[in-house]
Amino acid sequence: MTELEKITSEDIRSVDLINNPGAEYDASVKAVLKIQLVRKKGDGFSLNAASQLSQAHRTSHYQQLDMNYRHKGLDLFTRFTFQQWKDWQEQTNDQTIKADTVWNIRNRLHLESESNSIYSTSGVNHEINDSHSLGAQYSGSFGLKGTGG
């Protein structure tokens, strides 16, 4: 989904919806949406930064940095993401059980947790000609110390 968020309408060359995908797709696939992008023109370095802040009972945040270098048919790219999510939950359950004796049971739950993680992806593409390209990408994530309880 993050790849789709980066696409703007002027980047799209064509969109095809295939309702009956052929044998090149798994049998469980019902439909395929093919999006062909306009070939990027120009050489140089690009940088895109995004940040998100959310506030509920606790504050969470997300930062993302995308870097790209393009020269002729060579395209080098990397994305670095850091996120810190903080959750808070409080819940009380009251139960009454009537048998030979009436039992009133109250359960209380209080939960606070924090998770920090880093995600990175880097890769290279080489456009050989209008119909052929070659590329590789490596992605990884790392969970930092978090708390919960």
Side-chain angles (χ1 to χ4, degrees), residues 115-135:
S115 70
N116 302 306
S117 61
I118 294 173
Y119 170 79
S120 181
T121 183
S122 296
V124 59
N125 291 320
H126 179 62
E127 294 182 1
I128 300 165
N129 57 38
D130 286 344
S131 301
H132 298 88
S133 64
L134 180 64

Side-chain angles (χ1 to χ4, degrees), residues 82-97:
F82 172 76
Q83 58 186 1
Q84 181 182 53
W85 296 114
K86 296 180 181 181
D87 293 321
W88 180 87
Q89 177 183 350
E90 192 158 319
Q91 177 178 329
T92 302
N93 296 326
D94 291 318
Q95 289 180 306
T96 301
I97 300 172

Side-chain angles (χ1 to χ4, degrees), residues 33-112:
L33 185 64
K34 277 191 167 183
I35 302 173
Q36 289 189 336
L37 302 177
V38 174
R39 179 174 301 239
K40 299 283 187 181
K41 295 181 182 177
D43 291 344
F45 181 75
S46 67
L47 184 70
N48 182 29
S51 183
Q52 176 183 353
L53 181 70
S54 62
Q55 177 65 48
H57 184 77
R58 298 179 70 194
T59 304
S60 298
H61 61 92
Y62 168 93
Q63 277 75 40
Q64 178 175 307
L65 180 64
D66 296 330
M67 294 181 286
N68 186 275
Y69 176 73
R70 186 176 308 110
H71 181 68
K72 298 186 181 180
L74 182 66
D75 193 11
L76 303 169
F77 60 91
T78 190
R79 168 179 284 171
F80 179 78
T81 302
F82 172 76
Q83 58 186 1
Q84 181 182 53
W85 296 114
K86 296 180 181 181
D87 293 321
W88 180 87
Q89 177 183 350
E90 192 158 319
Q91 177 178 329
T92 302
N93 296 326
D94 291 318
Q95 289 180 306
T96 301
I97 300 172
K98 295 180 181 177
D100 295 338
T101 307
V102 176
W103 296 84
N104 292 313
I105 302 169
R106 173 171 280 183
N107 294 315
R108 291 186 182 153
L109 169 71
H110 177 82
L111 174 68
E112 291 186 51

